[in-house]
């Protein structure tokens, strides 16, 4: 087992250099976008830096990083699914409202035209 102390910036940098690219590739498999994957991995390294004193073995750091990247990737997919559902719901509501508004407008026009036609000496508006 490899011993690792990531308390120092130098050791942390070595860890970052070793795992950054593999973690980005791993994250990109979840989210499908290189830039988003890179952001996820960077966020995970920031979180690791904040709790760096809790690790003494490379295996623990590696497990934490891969787990964190996976979880953030899944969260991103969930966020996207929720956002897409919200966009779709808004679109459907807009489509329904647009249709309803058009029907109301046409019915109102028909009713006004009928009332005008019923007035003595007036012809329907064309």
């Amino acid at each position: 087992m490899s011993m690792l102390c990531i308390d120092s910036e130098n050791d942390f940098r070595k860890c970052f250099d070793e795992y950054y690219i593999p973690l980005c590739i791993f994250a990109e498999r979840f989210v499908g976008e290189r830039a988003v994957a890179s952001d996820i991995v960077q966020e995970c390294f920031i979180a690791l830096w904040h709790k760096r004193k809790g690790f003494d073995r490379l295996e623990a750091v590696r497990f934490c990083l891969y787990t964190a990247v996976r979880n953030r990737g899944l969260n991103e997919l969930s966020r996207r699914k929720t956002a897409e559902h919200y966009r779709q719901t808004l679109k459907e509501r807009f489509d329904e409202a647009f249709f309803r508004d058009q029907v109301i407008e046409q019915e109102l026009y028909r009713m006004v035209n009928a009332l005008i036609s019923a007035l003595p000496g007036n012809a329907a508006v064309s």
Side-chain angles (χ1 to χ4, degrees):
M1 275 189 191
S2 303
M3 294 302 289
L4 177 71
C5 175
I6 57 173
D7 273 355
S8 74
E9 287 184 36
N10 188 41
D11 290 337
F12 186 83
R13 182 64 186 186
K14 286 178 187 176
C15 180
F16 180 88
D17 290 344
E18 184 173 345
Y19 289 103
Y20 178 77
I21 291 174
L23 286 168
C24 284
I25 293 167
F26 180 68
E28 191 174 352
R29 289 184 179 151
F30 282 95
V31 297
E33 294 179 43
R34 184 171 290 165
V36 174
S38 176
D39 290 345
I40 287 171
V41 172
Q42 289 176 34
E43 291 169 5
C44 290
F45 271 105
I46 290 168
L48 177 64
W49 176 254
H50 289 295
K51 58 182 176 181
R52 67 191 175 275
K53 294 183 190 292
F55 300 98
D56 61 354
R57 294 189 336 251
L58 177 61
E59 289 78 16
V61 172
R62 184 175 39 231
F63 178 78
C64 177
L65 284 169
Y66 276 97
T67 301
V69 167
R70 180 199 66 204
N71 291 343
R72 287 181 190 242
L74 292 174
N75 287 344
E76 172 64 17
L77 292 177
S78 178
R79 184 197 64 76
R80 286 179 185 179
K81 184 177 179 182
T82 300
E84 180 57 33
H85 175 72
Y86 180 70
R87 276 192 293 276
Q88 185 62 31
T89 300
L90 285 177
K91 181 182 179 302
E92 288 169 4
R93 286 184 182 163
F94 175 76
D95 288 347
E96 289 171 14
F98 179 76
F99 176 74
R100 182 194 65 233
D101 291 348
Q102 291 299 311
V103 170
I104 290 171
E105 183 180 325
Q106 293 305 314
E107 282 299 300
L108 185 58
Y109 174 80
R110 185 190 60 75
M111 289 173 14
V112 167
N113 196 28
L115 288 172
I116 291 172
S117 295
L119 292 173
N122 288 318
V125 177
S126 302

